[in-house]
Amino acid sequence: RERAEARGRDLDAGQCREQFIRPLLRDVLGFHMGQGDERVFPLWASEGDEPAGKTPLLLIYCGNWDEDLSAGRAGSPVMLIEKAIAARGLRHGLLATGERLRLIRAAGDGPKGACLEADLAGLAEETSPVSFGLVLRLFHVLCFVPGASGRAPIEEIEEESRKHAEKVSEDLKEAVFKAAEELVAALLAALPETERDLKLSRDAALIALYRILFILYAEARDRRLQEHRLYQDAYSVEGLVRQLFDEPTRAWAANS
């Protein structure tokens, strides 16, 4: 509701913070935003934690409604919040605008530039509750409160994420080698015996394979491709594979 009321206004950082970011943090994500300076503010689990002198869970940078969080270099919002959380000895920081909510780790803790970002504009238009539920779980205050083990849920999520990424990397490497072998074998089988060249076939197979991987990555990440019905039906890798299975005897054009 707060976003709908503030959307479309030319809000500066202070207005965006008070009219949208603070209500979002308080009413949806469960944080208490304390007193800050410039655009950086501490976040606690409850209002009483601030006067009690407890260490904040994390810090947040509050930007303009549509501010580019990655703009600039030394004075960029990311650099500013990284410096602030390092000074406090904290592990995480948030950056918020009217369009985005981004979670970062302390500099040196994980890959450089790694972050978890929620597209608030897209989330407001999302009809499925699944995306909202994921954002709520990952950015909610309870995700940053240490449990009985002394670790916050966000730390356990990050650990599982790293393990999953390592497994995906290993699986992808194995799949790439297997696919390359099959492509080389197919190319060699299609060539006359006098024209078979293992090196040329290997190079051609790798070029074809990485082009396919590039396309698959684009199709998985680019919403324009996902929502383009003609592309999905006639040009996407999934659409072409579906056609191959549905019409195995189809005669394809030479340029297909």
Side-chain angles (χ1 to χ4, degrees):
R1 177 175 57 82
E2 287 84 357
R3 187 178 192 282
E5 293 175 355
R7 186 179 182 181
R9 300 180 187 175
D10 185 18
L11 301 183
D12 61 25
Q15 293 170 324
C16 184
R17 181 185 71 245
E18 295 306 318
Q19 295 183 33
F20 175 64
I21 296 174
R22 188 184 295 274
L24 171 69
L25 292 169
R26 181 188 63 230
D27 302 334
V28 179
L29 301 179
F31 287 101
H32 166 69
M33 181 192 293
Q35 297 294 318
D37 52 86
E38 294 185 12
R39 297 191 179 189
V40 177
F41 298 82
L43 297 178
W44 283 275
S46 71
E47 187 175 355
D49 289 345
E50 183 176 9
K54 292 187 177 181
T55 301
L57 297 175
L58 60 167
L59 303 180
I60 186 169
Y61 172 91
C62 299
N64 300 336
W65 183 263
D66 57 355
E67 183 174 349
D68 182 354
L69 294 174
S70 302
R73 294 184 180 178
S76 71
V78 172
M79 294 291 290
L80 185 62
I81 195 69
E82 283 183 346
K83 183 178 179 180
I85 62 178
R88 292 265 198 150
L90 301 176
R91 292 200 58 194
H92 297 92
L94 285 173
L95 298 99
T97 69
E99 304 288 341
R100 309 208 170 267
L101 184 63
R102 181 184 297 181
L103 173 66
I104 66 166
R105 290 182 289 206
D109 187 6
K112 184 177 180 180
C115 69
L116 178 65
E117 185 170 279
D119 177 4
L120 299 178
L123 193 64
E125 300 170 359
E126 179 66 59
T127 56
S128 170
V130 175
S131 297
F132 180 79
L134 288 173
V135 170
L136 184 62
R137 180 178 180 186
L138 291 170
F139 289 90
H140 196 273
V141 63
L142 295 179
C143 204
F144 301 91
V145 176
S149 65
R151 301 181 68 199
I154 189 65
E155 297 177 53
E156 298 175 1
I157 292 172
E158 289 175 345
E159 182 178 340
E160 290 301 316
S161 177
R162 283 192 289 270
K163 290 179 181 178
H164 178 70
E166 292 171 0
K167 184 178 185 304
V168 169
S169 179
E170 289 298 318
D171 290 347
L172 180 60
K173 182 170 67 175
E174 183 180 340
V176 165
F177 281 124
K178 182 178 179 181
E181 291 174 359
E182 293 180 354
L183 281 171
V184 170
L187 288 171
L188 290 174
L191 291 172
E193 189 170 346
T194 55
E195 297 180 13
R196 291 178 183 175
D197 186 315
L198 185 59
K199 183 178 183 304
L200 288 176
S201 296
R202 180 202 65 191
D203 292 347
L206 288 174
I207 290 172
L209 178 61
Y210 282 105
R211 284 178 176 172
I212 292 171
L213 288 173
F214 177 87
I215 293 169
L216 289 172
Y217 180 82
E219 290 181 354
R221 296 293 296 272
D222 194 325
R223 183 175 293 180
R224 294 169 300 176
L225 296 180
Q226 296 168 1
E227 296 175 352
H228 198 295
R229 181 47 51 196
L230 176 60
Y231 177 84
Q232 287 296 318
D233 293 340
Y235 298 100
S236 70
V237 173
E238 181 181 356
L240 292 172
V241 170
R242 187 168 58 247
Q243 291 181 50
L244 287 170
F245 278 102
D246 291 344
E247 305 175 64
T249 59
R250 174 179 175 179
W252 292 83
N255 65 353
S256 296

